[in-house]
């Protein structure tokens, strides 16, 4: 059994896509083991995306991620890291496969509705950034 961190980004929340995204997880038999709505500060967004600190899109990305509330979730299931990435689709929505969350809803390479951990190591770090073990059920 594996865990991953999922985020419905500020564009997904403000456009009323929370239910739509969660429905896709539950339909695939992915269990939601923790969930909360938060609004990150710029500094918190910078901490979360620290691996991208040197990228040209870092400042804009962290402005966006701190621009409004987000929904953070711990997803649980077999091979859930990869299965969540498959449901999300490619980072660039123009390259995302039809039927993926990003192909269906993203409007921009930055405003692409969802985040998902990309490896077991990062899933562990990212889950711990938002949740204590006591909040995961
Ligand atoms: N991003 C961006 N421009 C780019 C690449 C990424 O604005 O050229 C944003 C986008 O919101 C993406 C996030 O930065 O989801 C993190 O990038 P990463 O390469 O980790 O993509 P992801 O893992 O989210 O698919
Ligand atoms: Mg990533």
């Amino acid at each position: 059994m594996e865990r991953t961190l999922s985020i419905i980004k500020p564009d997904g929340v403000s456009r009323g896509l929370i239910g739509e995204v969660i429905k896709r997880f539950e339909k695939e038999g992915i269990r939601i083991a923790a969930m909360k709505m938060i609004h990150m500060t710029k500094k918190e967004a910078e901490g979360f995306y620290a691996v991208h600190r040197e990228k040209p899109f870092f400042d804009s990305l962290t402005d966006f991620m701190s621009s409004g509330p987000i929904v953070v979730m711990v997803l649980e299931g077999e091979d859930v890291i990869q299965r969540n990435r498959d449901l999300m689709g490619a980072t660039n929505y123009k390259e995302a496969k039809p039927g993926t969350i990003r192909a269906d809803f993203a409007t921009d390479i930055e405003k692409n509705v969802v985040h998902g951990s990309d490896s077991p190591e990062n899933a562990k770090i990212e889950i711990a950034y938002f949740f204590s073990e006591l909040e995961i059920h």
Side-chain angles (χ1 to χ4, degrees):
M1 201 56 84
E2 203 173 63
R3 283 176 177 172
T4 192
L5 185 86
S6 167
I7 301 179
I8 305 176
K9 296 184 179 185
D11 59 330
V13 172
S14 67
R15 291 169 58 209
L17 296 172
I18 297 172
E20 178 63 40
V21 171
I22 290 175
K23 186 174 77 187
R24 290 175 182 225
F25 297 152
E26 292 191 328
K27 248 169 85 177
E28 287 299 313
I30 292 171
R31 207 174 74 76
I32 296 166
M35 175 163 64
K36 60 187 167 192
M37 183 181 279
I38 60 166
H39 186 156
M40 289 196 285
T41 63
K42 171 86 168 167
K43 279 210 163 10
E44 288 164 346
E46 286 171 352
F48 179 70
Y49 277 117
V51 291
H52 291 311
R53 195 168 288 281
E54 304 306 322
K55 304 274 172 62
F57 57 82
F58 180 73
D59 193 49
S60 175
L61 173 63
T62 52
D63 274 345
F64 164 54
M65 288 301 288
S66 59
S67 69
I70 61 173
V71 173
V72 285
M73 287 172 275
V74 177
L75 306 182
E76 197 175 76
E78 215 169 294
D79 200 24
V80 73
I81 296 172
Q82 187 57 48
R83 283 164 67 210
N84 179 44
R85 295 291 308 195
D86 292 345
L87 288 172
M88 289 163 58
T91 309
N92 183 348
Y93 72 103
K94 290 179 181 164
E95 291 161 12
K97 288 200 187 107
T100 60
I101 294 167
R102 284 167 166 173
D104 288 350
F105 300 112
T107 53
D108 188 283
I109 189 161
E110 178 180 83
K111 294 172 183 62
N112 56 8
V113 187
V114 280
H115 167 86
S117 309
D118 63 4
S119 67
E121 302 70 47
N122 286 335
K124 227 181 158 107
I125 294 166
E126 292 179 358
I127 288 168
Y129 196 74
F130 294 110
F131 295 98
S132 82
E133 203 51 47
L134 286 172
E135 295 174 299
I136 305 171
H137 306 286

